[in-house]
């Protein structure tokens, strides 16, 4: 029992310190969850996450889908009567999960992020066609994804939203400098980046 | 007036019409855009989600390049680029330690002298709606436009520091200056689902669908946006929305700069108006 209490305490303290948000001041009114566009597809709604922090449920929190789904749209913060910025807590939880090597129940988003950032590292810019193709190939739902593209792909070409010139990526001159940024961040974060 | 310019990846691929219309409109308003030389991707949501330092460093390289080129302000038409560049601006200016760390990572000097603007800010606060109104040759009279701000232009408020986070009015005023009927509606700052289109298209179709049907129910002829991501979710996915709900969608989505261009009577070829999945012909017919 004693151990559990200490654990619970340190999690709350760490998150409050890193996020600058006083988790314990949340009223649990759940306005944030009502406004969050993704709360119904999250495993834990934003207000529940705050409660789980108080209860010290670290493993569930750090492997949750919810923390990977938050895109910092800021609706939670704009609607909170306590002036609480929920997304800051999401950001800290996601950073902790990475630092401590947690595997998330949400696998697609981290995979897509890595593909996106790989494009940026290798070219200096994001290349939309490469991103779409590589993401489709890696997510294992090729049939669904190609089917979803059928009504979109041809009109995109026809209307010139995408041209054949967009199919090949082009590198910026400073590509090496951008790749170096990735390497430096990696080094500084001790391999956790 | 001269201003630094950060087009971002989308304006060079799927949102080329946003770039061409932005350039054409600002030229008419006597604004010279100076592109940041050899800019890189701002890192967008993936960098934000992956690593905070990376999410600051990628935009910071652009700010440092802008500073080297003597730019005091940089305008980013893409709402997401604006949001991420502004985050780097604010966090580096706020904290010496952060600034030093970021400079170490980008291996460049940066003295926090560059201010980032979004396009509405440039148009409404720097140029002003009166100067915009003076250029109007063909008022958008009788055209009912629903101004859509999405998330990234106004939120999180401490980053965007622009307009009201849930009831912004800058685009409304701009559309008013063009002579359009600004539609009051409830989805101004709803989220379109953004980058989740690549991982949860079902959720995005539903979220974007709510926005589209709300616009339709409010009697809008078109929705105006200042974000390439919102454009692609709202414009490209209407057939999927119709399939999911059984209700026809067909609401034209226009970049705010395309509407400005129409009102300034800039030829459509210069605005790139054909690059829409949902036809904008009904909008054009209404004012010509
Ligand atoms: S809206 Fe604010 S006070 Fe209410 S549950 Fe969410 S964080 Fe807590
Ligand atoms: S910032 Fe995150 S938690 Fe807050 S409403 Fe948006 S997606 Fe939900």
């Amino acid at each position: 029992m004693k151990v559990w209490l200490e654990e619970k305490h340190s999690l709350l303290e760490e998150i409050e310190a890193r996020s600058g948000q006083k988790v314990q001041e949340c009223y649990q009114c759940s306005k944030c969850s009502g406004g969050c566009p993704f709360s119904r597809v999250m495993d834990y709604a934003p207000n529940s996450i705050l409660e789980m922090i108080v209860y010290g449920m670290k493993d569930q929190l750090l492997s949750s889908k919810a923390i990977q789904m938050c895109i910092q749209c800021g609706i939670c913060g704009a609607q909170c009567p306590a002036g609480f910025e929920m997304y800051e807590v999401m950001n800290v939880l996601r950073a902790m999960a990475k630092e401590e090597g947690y595997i998330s129940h949400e696998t697609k988003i981290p995979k897509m992020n890595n593909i996106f950032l790989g494009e940026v590292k290798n070219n200096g810019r994001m290349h939309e066609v490469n991103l779409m193709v590589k993401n489709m190939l890696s997510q294992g739902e090729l049939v669904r994804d190609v089917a979803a593209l059928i009504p979109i792909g041809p009109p995109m070409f026809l209307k010139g939203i995408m041209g054949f010139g967009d199919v090949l990526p082009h590198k910026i001159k400073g590509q090496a400098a951008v790749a170096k940024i990735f390497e430096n961040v990696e080094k500084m974060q001790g391999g956790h980046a | 007036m001269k201003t630094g310019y950060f087009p971002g990846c989308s304006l060079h691929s799927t949102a080329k019409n946003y770039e061409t219309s932005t350039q054409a409109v600002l030229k008419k308003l006597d604004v010279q855009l100076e592109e940041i030389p050899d800019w890189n991707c701002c890192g967008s949501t993936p960098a934000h989600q992956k690593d905070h330092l990376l999410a600051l460093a990628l935009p910071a390289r652009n700010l440092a390049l802008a500073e080297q080129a003597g730019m005091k302000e940089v305008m980013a038409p893409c709402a997401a680029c604006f949001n991420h560049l502004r985050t780097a601006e604010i966090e580096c200016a706020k904290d010496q330690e952060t600034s030093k760390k970021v400079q170490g990572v980008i291996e460049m000097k940066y003295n926090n002298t560059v201010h980032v603007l979004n396009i509405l800010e440039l148009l409404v606060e720097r140029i002003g709606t009166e100067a915009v109104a003076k250029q109007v040759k063909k008022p958008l009279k009788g055209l009912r436009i629903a101004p859509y701000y999405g998330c990234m232009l106004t939120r999180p408020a401490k980053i965007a520091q622009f307009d009201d986070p849930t009831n912004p009015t800058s685009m409304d005023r701009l559309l008013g200056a063009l002579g359009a009927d600004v539609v009051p509606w409830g989805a101004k700052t709803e989220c379109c689902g953004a980058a989740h289109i690549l991982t949860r298209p079902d959720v995005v179709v539903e979220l974007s669908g709510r926005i589209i049907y709300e616009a339709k129910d409010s009697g809008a002829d078109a929705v105006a946006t200042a974000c390439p991501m919102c454009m692609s979710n709202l414009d490209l996915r209407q057939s999927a929305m119709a399939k999911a709900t059984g209700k026809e969608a067909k609401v034209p989505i226009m970049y705010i700069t395309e509407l400005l261009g129409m009102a300034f009577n800039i030829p459509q070829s210069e605005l790139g108006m054909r690059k829409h999945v949902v036809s904008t012909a009904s909008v054009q017919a209404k004012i010509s």
Side-chain angles (χ1 to χ4, degrees):
Chain A
M1 198 60 192
K2 190 166 166 269
V3 175
W4 182 77
L5 277 175
E6 270 176 11
E7 257 276 304
K8 149 188 162 180
H9 210 65
S10 64
L11 180 70
L12 175 64
E13 273 174 1
E14 181 174 359
I15 291 170
E16 289 200 337
R18 289 179 66 168
S19 67
Q21 305 297 312
K22 293 256 169 290
V23 174
Q24 294 189 89
E25 285 175 11
C26 157
Y27 314 151
Q28 278 301 319
C29 70
S30 54
K31 267 199 130 182
C32 50
S33 303
C36 175
F38 307 108
S39 64
R40 63 172 190 87
V41 287
M42 284 174 173
D43 39 7
Y44 307 110
N47 72 303
S48 313
I49 286 184
L50 296 172
E51 206 163 20
M52 288 164 75
I53 293 170
V54 176
Y55 286 119
M57 297 164 74
K58 186 170 172 179
D59 291 349
Q60 289 94 324
L61 282 167
L62 297 192
S63 51
S64 70
K65 289 187 179 205
I67 62 173
Q68 306 294 337
M69 294 206 84
C70 170
I71 52 165
Q72 195 173 292
C73 71
I75 292 174
C76 50
Q79 296 191 342
C80 174
F84 195 93
E85 278 144 329
M86 171 61 209
Y87 57 86
E88 294 283 20
V89 171
M90 293 289 209
N91 291 342
V92 168
L93 289 168
R94 204 168 46 243
M96 286 173 69
K98 188 181 59 190
E99 290 159 12
E100 300 189 24
Y102 276 83
I103 309 279
S104 176
H105 295 310
E106 168 58 58
T107 53
K108 287 188 178 178
I109 294 169
K111 222 190 255 174
M112 193 276 284
N113 288 345
N114 284 337
I115 296 169
F116 183 109
L117 294 169
E119 285 299 304
V120 178
K121 185 176 178 184
N122 293 333
N123 299 307
R125 289 184 192 162
M126 189 267 293
H127 184 257
E128 285 170 333
V129 176
N130 261 2
L131 173 67
M132 284 198 295
V133 172
K134 288 186 184 165
N135 182 60
M136 277 200 286
L137 290 175
S138 80
Q139 301 284 17
E141 290 197 59
L142 206 55
V143 174
R144 180 206 72 182
D145 289 343
V146 171
L149 272 184
I150 290 171
I152 299 167
M156 281 179 81
F157 272 100
L158 268 178
K159 307 246 179 173
I161 292 171
M162 223 178 247
F164 288 101
D166 297 322
V167 177
L168 298 170
H170 21 238
K171 276 194 196 344
I172 64 168
K173 278 194 244 115
Q175 181 271 330
V178 173
K180 195 74 196 295
I181 294 177
F182 280 84
E183 283 153 28
N184 288 342
V185 169
E186 187 101 9
K187 248 185 263 159
M188 281 184 83
Q189 313 289 53
H192 288 304
Chain B
M1 188 199 297
K2 242 171 45 177
T3 180
Y5 173 51
F6 180 83
C9 305
S10 296
L11 270 75
H12 278 202
S13 59
T14 50
K16 280 197 194 97
N17 48 332
Y18 193 17
E19 168 151 74
T20 46
S21 56
T22 297
Q23 287 172 338
V25 161
L26 291 179
K27 199 170 147 200
K28 275 262 183 303
L29 291 165
D30 252 336
V31 179
Q32 279 167 272
L33 293 176
E34 270 186 283
E35 188 165 328
I36 299 177
D38 207 45
W39 55 269
N40 58 274
C41 169
C42 73
S44 198
T45 303
H48 165 77
Q49 289 194 321
K50 176 118 193 210
D51 185 274
H52 189 56
L53 183 56
L54 182 67
L56 296 179
L58 288 172
R61 176 180 177 269
N62 296 308
L63 298 181
L65 288 170
E67 193 175 74
Q68 274 177 10
M71 299 170 187
K72 293 271 171 271
E73 288 193 324
V74 166
M75 188 276 289
C78 165
C81 295
F82 154 73
N83 198 290
H84 295 107
L85 291 172
R86 184 96 127 202
T87 304
E89 174 198 340
I90 289 173
E91 293 210 11
C92 288
K94 196 175 67 187
D95 181 49
Q96 281 258 319
E97 271 309 300
T98 306
S99 176
K100 267 212 323 247
K101 220 165 156 185
V102 168
Q103 291 181 59
V105 167
I106 63 175
E107 302 183 3
M108 287 173 83
K109 254 193 105 48
Y110 177 55
N111 298 312
N112 308 318
T113 60
V114 180
H115 181 54
V116 182
L117 296 175
N118 66 54
I119 194 152
L120 296 179
E121 226 169 352
L122 176 70
L123 288 163
V124 176
E125 292 178 9
R126 293 288 186 280
I127 300 169
T129 48
E130 277 165 37
V132 169
K134 273 196 196 128
Q135 290 301 325
V136 173
K137 307 269 167 358
K138 246 189 185 179
L140 306 184
K141 255 176 89 184
L143 201 58
R144 295 174 52 79
I145 308 286
Y148 175 65
Y149 298 77
C151 305
M152 300 282 205
L153 287 170
T154 65
R155 285 190 308 261
K158 66 177 179 190
I159 291 166
Q161 299 179 8
F162 171 68
D163 214 330
D164 187 277
T166 49
N167 187 21
T169 54
S170 47
M171 203 193 301
D172 300 45
R173 281 179 276 145
L174 203 52
L175 290 167
L178 305 181
D181 281 348
V182 182
V183 175
W185 67 316
K188 259 185 169 179
T189 56
E190 299 279 295
C191 177
C192 72
H196 286 319
I197 190 65
L198 288 167
T199 49
R200 287 300 300 264
D202 53 329
V203 178
V204 173
V205 164
E206 194 198 317
L207 291 170
S208 288
R210 275 194 228 162
I211 296 163
I212 291 298
Y213 292 116
E214 173 76 24
K216 221 180 159 72
D217 291 346
S218 312
D221 295 315
V223 170
T225 179
C227 176
M229 184 89 230
C230 300
M231 170 60 87
S232 94
N233 283 343
L234 295 176
D235 183 39
L236 256 60
R237 304 287 161 167
Q238 291 192 24
S239 58
M241 295 169 199
K243 218 172 137 194
T245 60
K247 279 194 292 182
E248 188 182 75
K250 290 229 171 83
V251 178
I253 316 295
M254 316 267 300
Y255 285 115
I256 181 71
T257 45
E258 292 178 306
L259 291 165
L260 281 152
M262 281 171 66
F264 292 178
N265 206 14
I266 297 172
Q268 312 230 328
S269 53
E270 271 180 60
L271 298 175
M273 296 260 298
R274 280 178 46 246
K275 297 176 195 283
H276 290 262
V277 169
V278 177
S279 168
T280 58
S282 56
V283 176
Q284 292 164 36
K286 250 192 146 161
I287 64 151
S288 44

mmCIF file of all heavy atoms in Angstrom, chain B residues 26 91 110 134 237 254:
data_model
loop_
_atom_site.group_PDB
_atom_site.id
_atom_site.type_symbol
_atom_site.label_atom_id
_atom_site.label_comp_id
_atom_site.label_asym_id
_atom_site.label_seq_id
_atom_site.Cartn_x
_atom_site.Cartn_y
_atom_site.Cartn_z
ATOM 1 N N LEU B 26 -1.995 39.549 -53.072
ATOM 2 C CA LEU B 26 -1.096 40.439 -52.331
ATOM 3 C C LEU B 26 -0.382 41.408 -53.269
ATOM 4 O O LEU B 26 -0.073 42.534 -52.895
ATOM 5 C CB LEU B 26 -0.120 39.628 -51.477
ATOM 6 C CG LEU B 26 -0.795 38.908 -50.299
ATOM 7 C CD1 LEU B 26 0.206 38.092 -49.500
ATOM 8 C CD2 LEU B 26 -1.517 39.889 -49.366
ATOM 9 N N GLU B 91 8.275 30.213 -27.929
ATOM 10 C CA GLU B 91 9.031 29.465 -26.918
ATOM 11 C C GLU B 91 10.497 29.879 -26.868
ATOM 12 O O GLU B 91 11.096 29.889 -25.805
ATOM 13 C CB GLU B 91 8.871 27.962 -27.142
ATOM 14 C CG GLU B 91 7.435 27.543 -26.874
ATOM 15 C CD GLU B 91 7.303 26.124 -26.361
ATOM 16 O OE1 GLU B 91 8.326 25.505 -26.008
ATOM 17 O OE2 GLU B 91 6.166 25.642 -26.338
ATOM 18 N N TYR B 110 20.286 32.328 -33.756
ATOM 19 C CA TYR B 110 18.963 32.907 -33.914
ATOM 20 C C TYR B 110 18.687 33.842 -32.739
ATOM 21 O O TYR B 110 18.721 33.427 -31.584
ATOM 22 C CB TYR B 110 17.884 31.817 -34.008
ATOM 23 C CG TYR B 110 16.492 32.400 -34.097
ATOM 24 C CD1 TYR B 110 16.181 33.326 -35.089
ATOM 25 C CD2 TYR B 110 15.502 32.070 -33.176
ATOM 26 C CE1 TYR B 110 14.930 33.911 -35.158
ATOM 27 C CE2 TYR B 110 14.237 32.639 -33.242
ATOM 28 C CZ TYR B 110 13.962 33.559 -34.230
ATOM 29 O OH TYR B 110 12.717 34.134 -34.294
ATOM 30 N N LYS B 134 -10.918 48.902 -51.087
ATOM 31 C CA LYS B 134 -10.594 49.787 -52.211
ATOM 32 C C LYS B 134 -10.272 49.024 -53.486
ATOM 33 O O LYS B 134 -10.416 49.559 -54.590
ATOM 34 C CB LYS B 134 -9.386 50.663 -51.839
ATOM 35 C CG LYS B 134 -9.792 51.917 -51.114
ATOM 36 C CD LYS B 134 -8.660 52.950 -51.107
ATOM 37 C CE LYS B 134 -8.956 54.001 -50.062
ATOM 38 N NZ LYS B 134 -7.822 54.204 -49.148
ATOM 39 N N ARG B 237 -13.487 15.021 -49.469
ATOM 40 C CA ARG B 237 -14.181 13.898 -48.828
ATOM 41 C C ARG B 237 -15.698 13.993 -48.916
ATOM 42 O O ARG B 237 -16.400 13.273 -48.220
ATOM 43 C CB ARG B 237 -13.767 13.811 -47.361
ATOM 44 C CG ARG B 237 -12.284 13.686 -47.162
ATOM 45 C CD ARG B 237 -11.763 12.315 -47.544
ATOM 46 N NE ARG B 237 -10.318 12.358 -47.778
ATOM 47 C CZ ARG B 237 -9.553 11.285 -47.891
ATOM 48 N NH1 ARG B 237 -10.078 10.076 -47.813
ATOM 49 N NH2 ARG B 237 -8.266 11.404 -48.107
ATOM 50 N N MET B 254 -13.681 27.301 -50.686
ATOM 51 C CA MET B 254 -12.798 28.255 -51.362
ATOM 52 C C MET B 254 -11.742 28.783 -50.396
ATOM 53 O O MET B 254 -12.049 29.060 -49.240
ATOM 54 C CB MET B 254 -13.604 29.472 -51.845
ATOM 55 C CG MET B 254 -14.918 29.168 -52.491
ATOM 56 S SD MET B 254 -14.798 29.013 -54.258
ATOM 57 C CE MET B 254 -14.196 30.610 -54.715
#
